[in-house]
Amino acid sequence: MTAQSEKAAAPADVGGRSAVPDWVRRAATLNELWTFVILVALVLFFTIAAPGKFFTTYDITQIAVNAAIYLVLGVGMTFVIITAGIDLSIGSVLVLAAVAAGEYNIHHGGATSGWGTVAFCVVIALAVGTAWGALQGAVVATGKVPPLIVTLGGLGAALGIAELATGGQDPAGAASTHLQNSLGFGKVLGIPWMVILAAVVTAIFGAVLAGTRFGEHTLAIGSNPTAVRRAGIPVGRQLVKVYGLMGLLAGLGAVMWLASYGTTSIAGHSTDNLKVITAVVLGGTSLFGGRGSVLGTVIGVFIPAVLTTGLIVIGVQQYWQDVAVGVVLVVAVYIDQLRRKTRERA
């Protein structure tokens, strides 16, 4: 069969199925567009369901603040999932980093500690998160242990260490009032510092993924790790860097959490991985690796945030909120599979 005849035969499936129009195929690959449509639909639904109570200026601000930490975590998770990996430990790593920083703060002034202590606490949180993430990446890369198992073990180990250090109780004085009054509650031109920090992190690592060799190697590993190795790219070293980046951003999330809530919230992060993975997959990053964008993650993060806030506004119990997020995750994975099949047929 010639190339021309193959092209002519393309509109019909060999199995007798009707052809998928080209515009449908193109639309199916616009991950960010579909995610944005879902977000707009949720906003419209809750606005109609609770007129005058949802999507007010206060709600928008709160949604943005609440989404800020998950957006920072989501940026790191985007890199991890693009490599066809996963990190279930992010909530526990955040807690461990917050406990490490909080314990130092408690013993160096507590709530009244100065800026020098605050700066050192930030360094501690970032260092602990990065080290833990890099360690997990090293195990994945050199031990050939599946990321699911490695990070599941990391989830339990990090949380266990945090509980041993604190006796399972959230210590008082874990955050300085300087940190809370600035990053936690401060605003610039009416925009919370938390939102600004999340936006800066997103912009930086979005550019890293889209326009640097680090981003190219990350995408390549997820697409075809064998070909990447043959090209001389150190896959193991790249994985250590990617998981280290995830840990770094979990450490930054710990700083943001301490700034917002003034406590480590040891028992409050059990579903962080579910929320973040949901957001990243909703944003179009494929669980099979090799495809994803930080822009999609930005949109995807706001879907659970809007969903949670909207359910609260219409009076749905908190337990149903977790059920809803879980359902959204399953639907997102199903949509991801449909997109993958559509691209293969194209």
Side-chain angles (χ1 to χ4, degrees), residues 149-192:
I149 303 302
V150 173
T151 59
L152 182 61
L155 181 156
L159 183 60
I161 293 173
E163 290 175 333
L164 285 170
T166 61
Q169 302 296 320
D170 293 313
S176 169
T177 53
H178 289 306
L179 179 64
Q180 290 192 273
N181 291 335
S182 55
L183 178 60
F185 309 127
K187 296 182 179 180
V188 177
L189 301 176
I191 304 175

Side-chain angles (χ1 to χ4, degrees), residues 159-230:
L159 183 60
I161 293 173
E163 290 175 333
L164 285 170
T166 61
Q169 302 296 320
D170 293 313
S176 169
T177 53
H178 289 306
L179 179 64
Q180 290 192 273
N181 291 335
S182 55
L183 178 60
F185 309 127
K187 296 182 179 180
V188 177
L189 301 176
I191 304 175
W193 271 112
M194 291 280 288
V195 177
I196 294 173
L197 177 57
V200 170
V201 170
T202 301
I204 291 173
F205 288 103
V208 168
L209 180 61
T212 68
R213 183 172 296 179
F214 182 85
E216 291 176 1
H217 290 179
T218 301
L219 288 162
I221 288 173
S223 298
N224 194 333
T226 302
V228 170
R229 287 189 180 92
R230 290 174 179 172

Side-chain angles (χ1 to χ4, degrees), residues 92 95-97 99-100 103 155-171 264-270:
S92 295
V95 169
L96 179 61
V99 165
E103 287 292 331
L155 181 156
L159 183 60
I161 293 173
E163 290 175 333
L164 285 170
T166 61
Q169 302 296 320
D170 293 313
T264 53
S265 299
I266 293 175
H269 296 275
S270 59

Side-chain angles (χ1 to χ4, degrees), residues 240-277:
V240 172
K241 291 178 181 178
V242 168
Y243 281 88
L245 172 61
M246 179 70 262
L248 172 69
L249 295 180
L252 181 57
V255 174
M256 296 170 73
W257 188 273
L258 287 171
S260 294
Y261 302 101
T263 181
T264 53
S265 299
I266 293 175
H269 296 275
S270 59
T271 60
D272 283 0
N273 50 13
L274 173 65
K275 294 175 181 177
V276 173
I277 293 170

